[in-house]
């Protein structure tokens, strides 16, 4: 796979499911898979992150988007996933494409070992010439443990396989500086700093769970990993190649010229907050050197229940996020350490330790190019 152009494609529910009938849109799938075949003929590898399973299963469980609760949507996902995959297989076989399903949960991205295992599986599928169809396992996930939107899921996949391009196909032809229904809205052809447009991107589609805000969040995650993101209308002939070749209008969010390492990218590109620490302003400033660990005496307060190996968000007393890093202790162990500052850490915990909450090697200071997370209410 070295040297190949890896392309991740994210497809929204509204493109895959007829909004009134809640059935697959085979015309769109025909155009999509034909274009996937065209890209593969140039040596590119294509991975599809597909929404649509919940929308396609709602009719089977007798629910609508308006009436469905969490358990209804989980059941709908279980019914709709075979329909979605079968639609991909039917159309894919017309072009000689083999299809594989990869269902992921939040833990497959946030736990580093599972992240690597997932990456190995996707790489093996690509080596075999198979097109992976990736989706969140909506039939078993709940609000507390789900990714929540396939835009950021696709960005994590792009990071995982070191993709060059992430194409997000949607119902509009890209980003506007305000709601595109506004007659004064201006199309934005290229973005370097996504933070400039976050306030103008509220709202979401009827069938989907994410709006333009999640697409920009995904783009920021991708650009940190050296991946260019394209946001474009999905209903078009050659929906992928015309975007990459610049033949039609799309918003291009440029990759950062100095991308993070895969380790730093995994630490900083989070999908949910496991926990957070507050340190003094002086300590927060020192973290920028990447030579400073966070010790128990540095912690002013802590939020969340987490385990060893979870990534913590580090804030200064003013509530500004300054770094993210891997915890060497559980939240309960940190409480014991910080509440007993004069007692030896080994005596408190029952095993040998230097008492560093986050080691410098596992700590990444955040730069202006990152989208920062709001501090938990208890901190702010």
């Amino acid at each position: 796979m070295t040297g190949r152009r890896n392309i991740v494609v994210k497809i929204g529910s509204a493109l895959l499911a007829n909004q009134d009938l809640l059935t697959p849109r085979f015309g769109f799938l025909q155009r999509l898979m034909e274009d996937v075949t065209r890209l593969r003929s140039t040596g590119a590898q294509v991975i599809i992150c597909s929404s649509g399973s919940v929308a396609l299963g709602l009719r089977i469980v007798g629910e609508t988007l308006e009436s469905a609760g969490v358990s209804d949507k989980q059941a709908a996902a279980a019914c709709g996933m075979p329909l979605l995959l079968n639609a991909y297989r039917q159309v894919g076989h017309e072009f000689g494409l083999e299809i594989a399903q990869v269902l992921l949960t939040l833990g497959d991205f946030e736990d580093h070992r599972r992240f690597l295992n997932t990456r190995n599986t996707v790489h093996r599928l690509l080596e075999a010439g198979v097109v992976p169809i990736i989706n969140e396992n909506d039939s078993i996930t709940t609000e507390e443990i789900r990714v929540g939107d396939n835009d950021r899921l696709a960005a994590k996949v792009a990071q995982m396989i070191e993709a060059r391009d992430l194409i997000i196909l949607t119902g509009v032809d890209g980003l506007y500086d305000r709601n595109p229904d506004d007659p004064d809205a201006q199309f934005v052809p290229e973005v370097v700093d996504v933070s400039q447009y976050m306030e103008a991107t509220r709202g979401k589609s009827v069938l989907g769970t994410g709006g333009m805000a999640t697409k920009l969040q995904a783009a920021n995650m991708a650009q940190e990993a050296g991946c260019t993101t394209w946001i474009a209308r999905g209903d078009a002939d050659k929906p992928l190649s015309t975007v990459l070749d610049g033949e039609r209008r799309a918003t291009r969010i440029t990759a950062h010229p100095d991308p993070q390492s895969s380790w730093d990218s995994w630490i900083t590109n989070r999908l949910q907050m496991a926990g957070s620490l507050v340190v003094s302003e002086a300590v927060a400033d020192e973290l920028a050197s990447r030579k400073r660990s966070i010790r128990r005496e540095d912690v002013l307060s802590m939020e969340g229940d987490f385990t060893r190996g979870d990534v913590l968000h580090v804030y200064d007393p003013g509530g500004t996020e300054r770094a993210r890093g891997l915890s060497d202790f559980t939240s309960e162990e940190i409480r014991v350490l910080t509440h007993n500052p004069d007692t030896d850490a080994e005596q408190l915990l029952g095993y040998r330790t230097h008492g560093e909450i986050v080691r410098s090697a596992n700590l990444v200071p955040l730069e202006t190019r990152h989208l920062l997370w709001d501090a938990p209410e208890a901190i702010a």
Side-chain angles (χ1 to χ4, degrees):
M1 286 183 49
T2 303
R4 290 203 177 194
R5 183 176 190 173
N6 292 333
I7 302 168
V8 175
V9 181
K10 185 270 177 178
I11 305 167
S13 296
L15 290 169
L16 291 161
N18 181 291
Q19 187 171 325
D20 296 320
L21 302 175
L22 298 179
T23 54
R25 298 183 67 226
F26 282 98
F28 167 75
L29 284 170
Q30 188 85 18
R31 296 189 295 274
L32 173 71
M33 300 309 279
E34 182 178 15
D35 212 16
V36 168
T37 305
R38 186 177 292 109
L39 289 173
R40 282 164 53 96
S41 70
T42 68
Q45 303 273 26
V46 180
I47 301 91
I48 296 174
C49 293
S50 178
S51 304
S53 61
V54 173
L56 292 177
L58 283 171
R59 180 174 50 84
I60 299 174
V61 297
E63 297 291 342
T64 66
L65 285 164
E66 294 74 23
S67 67
V70 173
S71 61
D72 300 321
K73 291 179 179 178
Q74 290 175 320
C79 295
M81 185 53 71
L83 296 177
L84 180 65
L85 201 66
N86 186 55
Y88 274 114
R89 290 185 67 88
Q90 283 185 50
V91 178
H93 282 179
E94 294 181 31
F95 301 99
L97 298 176
E98 292 294 339
I99 302 298
Q101 180 186 46
V102 181
L103 292 177
L104 302 176
T105 63
L106 179 69
D108 296 315
F109 293 109
E110 306 292 71
D111 181 279
H112 196 248
R113 179 178 296 179
R114 289 164 64 180
F115 179 87
L116 295 177
N117 288 339
T118 303
R119 184 179 67 177
N120 291 340
T121 298
V122 174
H123 276 256
R124 185 64 186 91
L125 291 170
L126 295 176
E127 288 172 1
V130 177
V131 179
I133 309 293
I134 299 178
N135 195 1
E136 185 167 12
N137 194 350
D138 290 316
S139 62
I140 65 168
T141 53
T142 60
E143 195 63 36
E144 293 77 16
I145 61 170
R146 69 191 306 262
V147 174
D149 63 85
N150 278 341
D151 296 318
R152 293 185 305 147
L153 182 146
K156 290 294 288 185
V157 172
Q159 170 203 346
M160 179 186 293
I161 65 162
E162 299 178 342
R164 188 191 304 180
D165 300 281
L166 167 61
I167 303 175
I168 300 178
L169 296 181
T170 184
V172 294
D173 49 4
L175 174 68
Y176 287 79
D177 62 354
R178 66 196 75 180
N179 191 313
D181 293 334
D182 188 327
D184 295 324
Q186 297 293 313
F187 179 75
V188 182
E190 185 168 280
V191 176
V192 176
D193 181 4
V194 300
S195 65
Q196 297 177 358
Y197 298 95
M198 289 302 296
E199 287 304 315
T201 57
R202 303 308 173 192
K204 62 183 182 181
S205 67
V206 176
L207 286 177
T209 57
M212 191 59 71
T214 67
K215 292 169 177 53
L216 291 187
Q217 290 168 357
N220 182 246
M221 294 167 67
Q223 62 184 168
E224 294 310 310
C227 176
T228 294
T229 300
W230 309 80
I231 302 174
R233 186 181 297 275
D235 272 331
D237 292 333
K238 302 178 183 178
L240 308 177
S241 56
T242 52
V243 169
L244 296 173
D245 294 339
E247 296 178 10
R248 65 187 179 98
R249 190 150 78 162
T251 296
R252 178 176 182 261
I253 297 99
T254 58
H256 198 283
D258 181 26
Q260 293 180 303
S261 68
S262 59
W263 177 242
D264 284 1
S265 185
W266 180 79
I267 287 177
T268 56
N269 291 324
R270 312 313 300 158
L271 295 169
Q272 284 191 8
M273 186 185 297
S276 61
L277 303 174
V278 176
V279 298
S280 71
E281 194 78 34
V283 171
D285 290 341
E286 290 179 22
L287 297 181
S289 70
R290 301 201 63 152
K291 297 178 181 178
R292 176 69 150 84
S293 298
I294 298 178
R295 299 180 288 271
R296 62 171 168 170
E297 59 267 25
D298 298 327
V299 178
L300 301 181
S301 63
M302 180 189 74
E303 288 293 320
D305 293 310
F306 49 86
T307 188
R308 186 172 186 265
D310 280 344
V311 173
L312 305 181
H313 296 237
V314 183
Y315 295 86
D316 62 26
T320 299
E321 189 183 14
R322 305 290 290 273
R324 293 171 194 164
L326 214 61
S327 176
D328 259 20
F329 300 101
T330 67
S331 53
E332 187 56 40
E333 287 174 326
I334 295 176
R335 290 187 181 96
V336 171
L337 290 170
T338 55
H339 290 168
N340 301 276
D342 299 324
T343 306
D344 182 71
E346 182 177 347
Q347 181 180 342
L348 288 170
L349 301 180
Y351 59 87
R352 295 189 63 181
T353 174
H354 294 296
E356 293 178 324
I357 306 298
V358 182
R359 285 178 283 175
S360 59
N362 297 330
L363 187 69
V364 183
L366 300 182
E367 305 171 23
T368 55
R369 68 193 202 182
H370 295 87
L371 284 176
L372 305 182
W373 286 41
D374 292 335
E377 291 184 9
I379 294 176

